[in-house]
Amino acid sequence: MSSSQQPDPRDRPARLAVGVVGAGRVGPALAASLQLAGHRPVAVSAVSDTSRRRAGLMLPDVPVLPPADVLERSDLVLLTVPDDTLPGLVAGLAETGAVRPGQLLVHTSGRYGAKVLDPALRAGALPLALHPAMTFTGTPVDVQRLAGCSFGVTAPEELRLAAEALVIEMGGEPEWIAEETRPLYHAALALGANHLVTLVAQSMELLREAGVEAPDRMLGPLLGAALDNALRSGDAALTGPVARGDAGTVAAHVAELRRHAPQTVAGYLAMARATADRALAHGLLKPELAEDLLEVLAGGPNLPENPESGEDR
């Protein structure tokens, strides 16, 4: 649909009535953030008791209504439902006539761009994909975390300025993502953030098993420094026994994990192989040390625990 066929977003009222369809962790936080910018949350849909409580906490005095009623009251609708639910929800709302011409329809899925909103576009809605690159808790702290948070923005070109303006009003930083690269963009974020949680949780469990009373306190400074170094220097920040080629140490790690936490072995080996590949490619891991290391990672014989690598820690 061309811009001549759509209402000009610049002609919309400065302050919008905001509705939320799906009171998970994301929607209420975004609506609360928009409220701080002067917009007015008017309705939210929530199914479970948990989501109803969350809506009451984050959006007090905002009525909980069925999705169609949320759309009826709203100029701007946040569709904050799971990725797999989104296409069916959009199609259903469009088929039942719940979507109004000129209504801003925003989804927050990382996986999808604006095309998933095509049924609503045909009904006259203005489609925007605004994905906050942030993890949410479902508590008021999420609103604070939006300050400076990057949003993956995808929208028709004529709505690009409107989409970016909404992100800025929520305190975020818009980052334009092409429709065709949305799945890759989302995979990158999941690889970094979601897997990080798993790795940290496993690390804390192993530290407790080793007798550490406060694994969170021990890991906090270490992981903070590692993250900062990685963001600043990329692969040059690689360190540890894999990057040094300490095959014996890695063999000892694998043996201990098999004894105490066999469920972590596959993940350790996979990450160690990926680390070795990157260290080799960037000249951090000496080729003459890589052979023994890769043999260990392939399930080969255990080597002496502390071979002389000639490298400092």
Side-chain angles (χ1 to χ4, degrees):
M1 184 178 291
S2 68
S3 59
S4 61
Q5 294 174 292
Q6 294 178 332
D8 190 332
R10 292 172 295 181
D11 294 335
R12 303 186 61 81
R15 302 298 89 183
L16 302 172
V18 179
V20 180
V21 176
R25 297 181 179 183
V26 178
L30 298 189
S33 182
L34 287 168
Q35 186 174 33
L36 290 176
H39 298 289
R40 184 168 56 94
V42 293
V44 58
S45 73
V47 177
S48 68
D49 290 340
T50 299
S51 61
R52 287 175 177 270
R53 287 193 296 271
R54 185 181 297 117
L57 172 67
M58 302 288 289
L59 301 171
D61 303 322
V62 175
V64 177
L65 301 172
D69 293 340
V70 173
L71 267 70
E72 183 179 357
R73 296 185 176 206
S74 306
D75 305 312
L76 164 64
V77 182
L78 301 172
L79 302 179
T80 51
V81 298
D83 290 359
D84 289 349
T85 304
L86 182 62
L89 172 66
V90 175
L93 291 172
E95 289 170 2
T96 58
V99 178
R100 300 199 317 270
Q103 193 169 46
L104 284 163
L105 211 58
V106 176
H107 80 71
T108 59
S109 166
R111 169 185 172 188
Y112 292 109
K115 287 189 178 300
V116 72
L117 297 174
D118 276 355
L121 175 65
R122 290 190 289 270
L126 307 179
L128 310 175
L130 308 179
H131 175 252
M134 178 54 62
T135 182
F136 289 80
T137 65
T139 66
V141 71
D142 294 333
V143 179
Q144 302 170 23
R145 287 180 173 175
L146 289 174
C149 167
S150 292
F151 279 66
V153 176
T154 305
E157 185 62 34
E158 60 270 19
L159 296 177
R160 178 168 179 163
L161 290 179
E164 293 176 344
L166 282 173
V167 170
I168 292 169
E169 284 196 309
M170 287 186 282
E173 296 287 342
E175 184 74 37
W176 190 256
I177 307 295
E179 180 80 32
E180 62 272 16
T181 62
R182 290 287 291 208
L184 178 62
Y185 151 81
H186 195 226
L189 294 179
L191 183 66
N194 300 158
H195 297 173
L196 176 63
V197 174
T198 300
L199 291 172
V200 172
Q202 287 182 341
S203 181
M204 288 200 296
E205 289 174 354
L206 293 171
L207 286 172
R208 289 191 190 97
E209 179 76 11
V212 175
E213 293 185 359
D216 53 342
R217 187 169 66 231
M218 176 175 284
L219 284 174
L222 173 65
L223 297 183
L227 177 59
D228 184 64
N229 291 342
L231 292 175
R232 290 173 183 270
S233 304
D235 288 297
L238 283 172
T239 185
V242 172
R244 292 193 300 267
D246 291 342
T249 298
V250 173
H253 288 177
V254 174
E256 285 299 296
L257 292 177
R258 285 189 174 126
R259 183 177 302 115
H260 294 283
Q263 72 280 5
T264 67
V265 172
Y268 179 95
L269 291 173
M271 290 303 300
R273 291 186 195 107
T275 300
D277 289 343
R278 301 189 74 89
L280 267 172
H282 289 82
L284 302 173
L285 173 59
K286 294 181 178 179
E288 61 268 24
L289 298 176
E291 184 176 351
D292 287 345
L293 175 66
L294 293 175
E295 185 178 7
V296 170
L297 297 178
N302 289 339
L303 300 172
E305 289 194 7
N306 294 298
E308 291 295 331
S309 68
E311 291 293 312
D312 294 331
R313 289 181 59 83

